[in-house]
């Protein structure tokens, strides 16, 4: 089996940002650039999944199509888009992370997720193992700022949380270790974009339905 993994080198700090990216949008890019800067990452890989086990896969576009759009949205030399999970045949994040730890032992990985995902993290298959496999960075999202106080997973992992001011050290910490990053937030939603795309040309959707979260959101991240 040949896997199209992005290039990497021992010692690199690489963020893993997984999801269905249905569709990818500028909010994903904003989160990525902020994580890259705040966590001191060399690269971020967008892992375009075959589908979220917790969500319906009805009418989910092919991985190749979602990767193509994601590449157009990412447009950054340090963001790599890959759909290797489909080739690998995995269904769950924990399987992907086990594979990457074995395949790339010299890389310092960080799993990146939005605060909305933290709310359901306790329902992910093997969520405790995920926390033991690599550090986790949770990015604030509108309406989810208080998630670390209420989410079951954050309560279970309370002792492993590190201060936000120490985020740049996260990649080198022994897991479990996680942090919650505040900052300019994007209100863009893949679900809302999909709803707005009904009856429209899908290829035209990025220009018609997406806009930067806020000029201030990109002020500090554009050069990341």
């Amino acid at each position: 089996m040949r896997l199209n993994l992005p290039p990497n080198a021992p010692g690199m700090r690489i963020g893993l940002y997984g999801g269905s990216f249905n569709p990818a949008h500028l909010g994903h890019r904003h989160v990525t650039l902020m994580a890259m800067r705040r966590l001191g990452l060399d690269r971020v890989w967008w892992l375009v999944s075959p589908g979220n086990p917790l969500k319906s896969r009805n009418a989910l576009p092919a991985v190749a199509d979602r990767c193509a759009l994601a590449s157009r949205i990412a447009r950054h030399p340090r963001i790599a888009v890959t759909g290797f999970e489909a080739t690998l045949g995995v269904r769950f994040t924990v399987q992907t992370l086990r594979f990457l730890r074995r395949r790339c032992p010299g890389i310092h990985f960080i799993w990146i997720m939005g605060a909305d995902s933290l709310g359901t993290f306790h329902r992910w298959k093997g969520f405790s193992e995920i926390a033991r496999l690599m550090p986790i960075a949770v990015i604030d999202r509108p309406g989810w700022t208080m998630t670390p106080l209420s989410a079951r997973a954050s309560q279970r992992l309370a002792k492993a949380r590190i201060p936000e001011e120490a985020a740049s050290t996260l990649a080198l910490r022994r897991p479990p270790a996680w942090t919650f990053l505040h900052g300019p937030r994007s209100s863009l939603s893949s679900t809302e974009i999909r709803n707005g795309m009904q009856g429209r040309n899908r290829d035209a959707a990025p220009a018609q339905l997406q806009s930067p979260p806020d000029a201030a959101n990109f002020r500090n991240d554009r050069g990341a």
Side-chain angles (χ1 to χ4, degrees):
M1 183 190 337
R2 183 176 180 179
L3 297 175
N4 186 25
L5 283 175
N8 60 80
M12 271 190 171
R13 302 184 186 192
I14 296 178
L16 303 175
Y17 190 16
S20 59
F21 292 93
N22 182 31
H25 52 70
L26 290 176
H28 292 129
R29 187 176 189 273
H30 167 67
V31 164
T32 300
L33 295 181
M34 185 175 79
M36 196 181 292
R37 177 173 55 85
R38 298 282 299 279
L39 300 170
L41 301 175
D42 299 300
R43 300 281 190 277
V44 174
W45 296 355
W46 286 8
L47 307 183
V48 180
S49 72
N52 186 334
L54 298 179
K55 297 180 181 179
S56 171
R57 299 191 186 188
N58 293 337
L60 184 66
V63 170
D65 293 338
R66 285 180 281 134
C67 282
L69 176 56
S71 295
R72 283 155 47 193
I73 295 295
R75 64 183 193 283
H76 194 288
R78 290 162 57 196
I79 302 175
V81 177
T82 176
F84 82 88
E85 287 179 302
T87 306
L88 192 61
V90 300
R91 293 187 58 217
F92 302 102
T93 296
V94 67
Q95 297 172 303
T96 300
L97 303 195
R98 287 174 190 157
F99 169 80
L100 289 175
R101 285 293 302 271
R102 292 193 305 268
R103 183 70 174 266
C104 310
I107 302 300
H108 302 291
F109 286 115
I110 292 180
W111 179 254
I112 299 170
M113 68 167 68
D116 52 332
S117 294
L118 179 62
T120 60
F121 189 35
H122 65 282
R123 295 174 54 199
W124 292 25
K125 182 178 178 65
F127 89 90
S128 294
E129 182 181 352
I130 291 173
R132 293 194 302 270
L133 284 169
M134 60 185 62
I136 299 170
V138 182
I139 312 298
D140 194 12
R141 289 202 62 191
W144 296 91
T145 300
M146 304 304 292
T147 307
L149 300 178
S150 59
R152 292 186 189 179
S154 62
Q155 293 171 0
R156 288 274 299 273
L157 297 169
K159 293 183 179 179
R161 184 177 179 182
I162 70 168
E164 187 172 358
E165 308 82 67
S168 62
T169 70
L170 184 63
L172 300 181
R173 289 179 179 259
R174 182 176 180 178
W178 68 283
T179 193
F180 191 93
L181 299 181
H182 298 83
R185 298 169 298 179
S186 168
S187 60
L188 287 172
S189 159
S190 291
T191 300
E192 292 180 4
I193 292 174
R194 285 198 305 275
N195 291 340
M197 286 166 60
Q198 292 179 2
R200 296 172 181 253
N201 180 294
R202 191 175 187 89
D203 290 335
Q208 295 175 349
L209 299 173
Q210 300 182 106
S211 59
D214 186 294
N217 288 4
F218 288 116
R219 189 171 301 136
N220 294 325
D221 294 333
R222 187 177 293 116

